[in-house]
Amino acid sequence: MTAQPRISFIGLVASDTAATLAFYRRLGLAIPPEADAEPHVEYDLPGGLKLVWDTVATVRSFDPDWTPPVGDHRIAIAFDCERPADVDKLYQELLAAGYRGHNEPWDAFWGQRYATVLDPDGNAVDLFAVRPS
């Protein structure tokens, strides 16, 4: 019998690794500063999953025809902010730091406070928290 595949990592391509990692540090990821100069960076998330970034040059080393996607995002990474007020606060902090908002905080019909910002490469990063019932 063949083993069941399991998700191991979510990989993103970074056009400017230092800028991209700075964004994710603002979301609470303790990525060491020396990672800014690396062509491939891995960050261990709780539960065994990894978030991984590769430079454009790294991706093109094994996929020479790779080009950045165009149009709206096709993937989103979501961060649980624990409290609805923290969604609003973090969203404003990210905008004040120069990052682009995509959807201002709102009360989603599925019971969460939700917002979306874009990382430096245009990937959607959702911020959410369960609203009290």
Side-chain angles (χ1 to χ4, degrees):
M1 178 168 185
T2 306
Q4 178 72 14
R6 64 178 179 82
I7 189 166
S8 177
F9 69 88
I10 298 166
L12 302 173
V13 179
S15 57
D16 179 339
T17 304
T20 296
L21 297 181
F23 173 84
Y24 287 93
R25 284 183 191 107
R26 286 185 169 272
L27 292 169
L29 302 185
I31 304 164
E34 57 271 16
D36 291 359
E38 296 296 324
H40 175 85
V41 177
E42 295 186 5
Y43 183 82
D44 293 324
L45 298 166
L49 191 62
K50 294 179 187 243
L51 192 52
V52 175
W53 298 269
D54 287 301
T55 64
V56 172
T58 298
V59 172
R60 286 191 177 142
S61 74
F62 59 84
D63 185 359
D65 296 326
W66 181 86
T67 57
V70 295
D72 289 336
H73 65 276
R74 295 198 169 106
I75 188 170
I77 299 170
F79 283 78
D80 186 343
C81 297
E82 292 189 36
R83 296 184 314 233
D86 292 339
V87 171
D88 295 46
K89 181 177 183 235
L90 183 53
Y91 181 86
Q92 291 305 319
E93 287 174 1
L94 291 168
L95 265 56
Y99 299 106
R100 293 180 293 152
H102 185 70
N103 288 321
E104 292 185 5
W106 83 96
D107 290 333
F109 68 86
W110 55 85
Q112 295 174 332
R113 183 74 173 158
Y114 223 88
T116 305
V117 293
L118 301 177
D119 77 4
D121 294 294
N123 296 305
V125 177
D126 296 338
L127 311 173
F128 73 93
V130 175
R131 289 190 340 254
S133 326

